Amino acid sequence: MVSSLATRMDGVAHSVGAVEPRRAHFTTPLPLACGATLDTFELAYETYGTLNSDRSNAVLICHALNASHHVAGYYEEAPDKVGWWDNMVGPGKPLDTTRFFVVSVNNLGSCFGSSGPVSINPATGQPWGADFPLVTVEDWVDAQARLADYLGIGRWAAVMGGSLGGMQALCWAIRYPTQLSHALVIASAPKLSAENIAFNEVARQAILSDPDFFDGHYARQGMRPRRGLRLARMLGHITYLSDEQMEAKFGRQLREGLKFSFASEFQIESYLRYQGEKFAGYFDANTYLRITKALDYFDPAAAHDGDLSKALEDARCAFLIISFTTDWRFPSARSREIMRALIDNRRDVSYAEINAPHGHDAFLLDDAQYHATVRTYYERVAAELGEREGV
Amino acid sequence: MVSSLATRMDGVAHSVGAVEPRRAHFTTPLPLACGATLDTFELAYETYGTLNSDRSNAVLICHALNASHHVAGYYEEAPDKVGWWDNMVGPGKPLDTTRFFVVSVNNLGSCFGSSGPVSINPATGQPWGADFPLVTVEDWVDAQARLADYLGIGRWAAVMGGSLGGMQALCWAIRYPTQLSHALVIASAPKLSAENIAFNEVARQAILSDPDFFDGHYARQGMRPRRGLRLARMLGHITYLSDEQMEAKFGRQLREGLKFSFASEFQIESYLRYQGEKFAGYFDANTYLRITKALDYFDPAAAHDGDLSKALEDARCAFLIISFTTDWRFPSARSREIMRALIDNRRDVSYAEINAPHGHDAFLLDDAQYHATVRTYYERVAAELGEREGV
C-alpha cells in the first residue's frame, strides 16, 4: 500500500488509475415488482480500493439515469473514458479509495453490461429488447443485495448516490436496514412530483412515437429511435441545469448572428443539439424508458398512506442528505422532506444545503463546499470503522 | 345602447354575444425584419363594442402563441367556440365593451385566417407552407399598425396582451410611441432567457425531426407532423402550469393502478397526452415554428447594447405591468426588469404582482385580484377619455 500512503501523505488527489469492469452471474431467480421473475441475471460492476480484513469498509455507489458502473478511473484501452464520479472517488478524494473499498454496479435494465434490453434473453438467445420487464428502484436494490452477498459484504459502510442514485440509497435504508451503516442521499427526493413525471412522460413519448422505435423491437429492424432519444436528452438536459447557470453560460449568445431560419442560431440551441446527438449515439431507448419509469414509480411512502415517516420507521443507518440551492428538478424542499421524516424517527441525520449555481447537475461537479461536506462525512465513517492504516 | 346601460346598471358581466371574424386586405408591401417583403397580406380580426365619435376608445388585444383574433363572444355556427379571453372582454367585464371598442387581430404567420403558412401564396396560388417568411414581433406590430390605419384609429386608448401578447404591447410603445396612450403588459418579459429558448428549441426539434414534416411542405404530401406537434404542446403545457398547481391538480394520482407498461398510468400523463392530441388536431406546425422563433428573437434592448432603459427611451404611453407569483416561464423578476427600465425613463408605470397559483396560464384565468387590477386600470383609461355615456 505504499502508493496509497504516499498519496495521502502528499495530500494530492489521484485517479484510481486503469480499472476493469467485472461481471457477476446470478442463478437464483429474482422476483420483480412487476410480477415477472428473472431466472438468471448478470450485473456489471467495478471495484476500487481494497476490502479490509473484516470486510467492513465497503461503500456502494448507485448510479442515476444515464450513468453506469464506471464511476472512477479509466479503461486501459480507452484512457479518455474517465468514470462519471471520478472527482469524488479515488485516492485522496472525498470518498478515499485508500480507506474504502468502493463498489459500483450497473443497474438491471440499463445498457452498459448488466441484464437489460440490450443483453441476451437466455430463453430466446436474442436480445431482450422490449421484452425486458419494467424494473423498479426496489428491484435494483434487491439485485445489489445479491451482489453484496456475492462479494461477501454483509454490511456496507455506506451506500451513496445522487438523484435516482440517492433514491436507491434511501431504499437500501428501508429495505435492508441492518445491511448498511450510512446512507448518503444527494440531490434526491422521496418521490417524483407531478411536474417531474410530466417531463419524463414527454421524453418517453418522444421515444415511443419515433417511427424507428418499432414497439421497442428496433434492434431486430437494425434501427435505433435516435430522434426520440435526442429529444428526450435535450429536454432532460434543460432540467439538469439551473436557469441561472444556463443564463450565465449561454444567455442569448448567437453563433453567427440571426439567420431567420431553423438552423441553430443561439448557442444554447447548438449546445442542446450536440448533447442530444451525443446521447442518441450511445444510449439505448428501451433503457431510457425503463429508467424513467423506475423514477416515476419510486414512492416508499405510498405503502404507508403517503406517510414518509412511517416508511422510514425501520431504517437504522445514519444519513447524510445533501441538496443544492439551484436544483429545480429536486429542490432542497424535497431533501428536507426526507430529513424531517428521519427526525420524526429520531434517526441520526445530517443535512447540508449547498449554495451552488449548477442546478441538479451540481451533484456531479466538484464544488468545494459540497466535496468538503462529503469528505468530512467519510472521515467520520472511517473513524467509526476504527480505521487501520495499511489493511 | 340600452342593453349596454342595462348591463352596467345591473352589474352583471355578459358575453359580447355572437361575433363574426372579419378580414382586411392590404396591398401596400410590408417589409419584414428577415429582409423579405410581403407584397400583399391579409389580417383576420374581430371587433367588440362601438368606436366612439372621436375614435378615441379603441383597445387592441394582442395574442400569444396558439391563440387567435377570436378573443370574446362565440360564433353563431359554433356556440361552444368561446373566445380565449372572454372572461376579460365583454359588457361589464374588466375590459368593458360598453365603454371600449376592442380590436383583436390574428398575427401574420399564424394559422387562423391571417396571411401565413396555411394561406395562399399569391405568387404561386398554392399554400405558402415552409415558404412563408419568418416573422418577428416587430413585423406583427407593423402589420397591426396597418390595421389601425385601415380602421381609422390614429391612437389606441390601450394595447394589451399577455405573454407574447405583452411583448407586442411593449413593442407598440417603442415602435409607435405616439399611437397608444396605455400599454398593458401581462405575464411577459423583455426577452427570453436561455432556458426559455431551450424549451422552444426542443419543441421545434420535435416538429422538425418528425418524418411527416417534409421540410415544412407536409401539406403537399397530404400529411401533418402530428407527433411533433403533440410533443411540442405537451412540453409547452408543462411550462404554462406551476409546479404547485400541477401537484394540487394531479399529484401522483393514478388512473387505474400501476400497469408496469408505457400506457398512461398517472393522471398527469393522461392529461398531457390529451392536451397534445387536441393541439395536434388543429394547430399548424409551420406556424408553431414561426411563433416560437418570434418569441426567441424579441429583444428590444439588443439594438441598445442590451440596455432596456435606452430601448424604452422613446416610449410615451403609461404602463400597467402585471406578473404572477407562480409563473416560472416569465417570473415576476422579468416584469420588474421592464418596470425598472420605465422608471429609469420616468414613465408612468403601475406594477402588480398577483399572488395566484396557476403559473403562466394565470393570465388567461379570472383570478379576482388580477381582474380587479385590470378593471381599475381601465376605469382610469376611461376617465382619461372623458367617458361619455351612450356615444
Side-chain angles (χ1 to χ4, degrees), chain A residues 78-124:
Chain A
D80 291 343
K81 210 170 151 51
V82 174
W84 59 268
W85 225 352
D86 191 74
N87 61 28
M88 181 66 86
V89 178
K93 294 185 179 173
L95 175 47
D96 189 340
T97 50
T98 65
R99 292 172 169 182
F100 292 100
F101 175 64
V102 177
V103 178
S104 58
V105 57
N106 187 219
N107 284 328
L108 281 179
S110 180
C111 51
F112 297 112
S114 292
S115 295
V118 300
S119 70
I120 298 299
N121 178 352
T124 64

Side-chain angles (χ1 to χ4, degrees), chain A residues 133-165:
Chain A
L134 266 68
V135 283
T136 65
V137 170
E138 288 75 14
D139 296 332
W140 289 338
V141 166
D142 287 351
Q144 291 160 3
R146 299 281 181 91
L147 181 66
D149 290 345
Y150 171 90
L151 296 172
I153 296 162
R155 184 182 177 95
W156 299 104
V159 177
M160 175 188 193
S163 190
L164 179 54

Side-chain angles (χ1 to χ4, degrees), chain A residues 152-186:
Chain A
I153 296 162
R155 184 182 177 95
W156 299 104
V159 177
M160 175 188 193
S163 190
L164 179 54
M167 291 175 173
Q168 294 163 62
L170 194 62
C171 184
W172 262 97
I174 294 169
R175 207 162 170 89
Y176 296 96
T178 63
Q179 297 184 38
L180 73 168
S181 301
H182 295 269
L184 286 81
V185 180
I186 304 169

